[in-house]
Amino acid sequence: FNKDVLVVAAAGNNGNSVAEYPGYFDNVLSVAATTSTDARASYSNYGTWVKISAPGDNIYSTYSTGPGNHSYTQMSGTSMASPCTAGAAAMVRSFFPSYNAFQTAARLRVTADTSIYASSVNPSTMINMLGTGRVNLYRALNDPGTPSVSMTTRNITVGASGVGAPVIGDTLFIGGIFTNFLSPTTNLTATLTTPSTYVTIIPVTAVSSLGVL
């Protein structure tokens, strides 16, 4: 990203939530694979570290079995989904020449189809495990401008002293910097949630406005 290049990587084909590199690295657009019905492909890795999904099942592509022997065939895998996303990213950046790498990734993510999270398509356990949705190039090129806000810096301190590892009964203070990569926004709120029954969140409400990057 410091070279203003968007890195797109396959999420992996182990069919589990174990992080796969380089997709797990910060600032990499990791891509899970979906089928023609928008369901997660059975082989595709998944997890909160996945940024977006794209078709990866039975994709017609170039194929080589050796020097001078090139043809086409159908293949499946997150390595089919990631080039679909990379191609979409190239078109977005061409269509919006002022976008940098961060903004290109953000545009793809905010315009992705969230219908993949419908209960009739994927189980509830997959919610937020396939990124922001399935790539939709038409929407990426045609949707009105929309904000894309991410917490780009996180600071966590333990208790009043901020020293040591947390133990049972400690209070953690979480702060950070929010960056808006796309259109300006107002009345912005951030909400912290947890599925754990062992954690209590002390509500703090902050409302703000953010210009664009």
Side-chain angles (χ1 to χ4, degrees), residues 48-75:
T48 55
W49 53 276
V50 171
K51 301 297 193 303
I52 202 165
S53 298
D57 222 30
N58 295 317
I59 304 299
Y60 198 59
S61 181
T62 54
Y63 185 74
S64 175
T65 57
N69 188 5
H70 310 299
S71 60
Y72 294 87
T73 190
Q74 287 183 313
M75 293 183 286

Side-chain angles (χ1 to χ4, degrees), residues 103-167:
Q103 291 171 308
T104 301
R107 180 66 179 178
L108 285 175
R109 297 188 71 216
V110 298
T111 57
D113 278 347
T114 58
S115 57
I116 67 170
Y117 289 125
S119 59
S120 58
V121 179
N122 284 296
S124 60
T125 53
M126 281 296 107
I127 291 177
N128 298 324
M129 297 293 173
L130 301 172
T132 56
R134 191 245 310 126
V135 166
N136 186 326
L137 181 56
Y138 180 85
R139 288 189 58 197
L141 300 181
N142 293 281
D143 270 16
T146 183
S148 175
V149 180
S150 294
M151 193 177 190
T152 49
T153 302
R154 297 173 180 85
N155 299 309
I156 303 176
T157 57
V158 182
S161 66
V163 178
V167 297

Side-chain angles (χ1 to χ4, degrees), residues 6-20:
L6 176 59
V7 179
V8 182
N13 300 321
N14 301 313
N16 58 39
S17 60
V18 177
E20 186 89 0

Side-chain angles (χ1 to χ4, degrees), residues 151 153-164 166 169-176 192 199-204:
M151 193 177 190
T153 302
R154 297 173 180 85
N155 299 309
I156 303 176
T157 57
V158 182
S161 66
V163 178
D170 268 346
T171 299
L172 303 184
F173 296 88
I174 302 174
L192 181 66
V199 176
T200 300
I201 295 176
I202 303 171
V204 175

Side-chain angles (χ1 to χ4, degrees), residues 1 5-13 18-34 44-47 49-56 77-87 89 105 108-109 129-131 135:
F1 264 62
V5 175
L6 176 59
V7 179
V8 182
N13 300 321
V18 177
E20 186 89 0
Y21 291 90
Y24 190 67
F25 283 124
D26 290 340
N27 302 326
V28 173
L29 191 65
S30 52
V31 187
T34 55
S44 178
N45 283 14
Y46 54 91
W49 53 276
V50 171
K51 301 297 193 303
I52 202 165
S53 298
T78 55
S79 291
M80 294 288 102
S82 56
C84 285
T85 305
L108 285 175
R109 297 188 71 216
M129 297 293 173
L130 301 172
V135 166

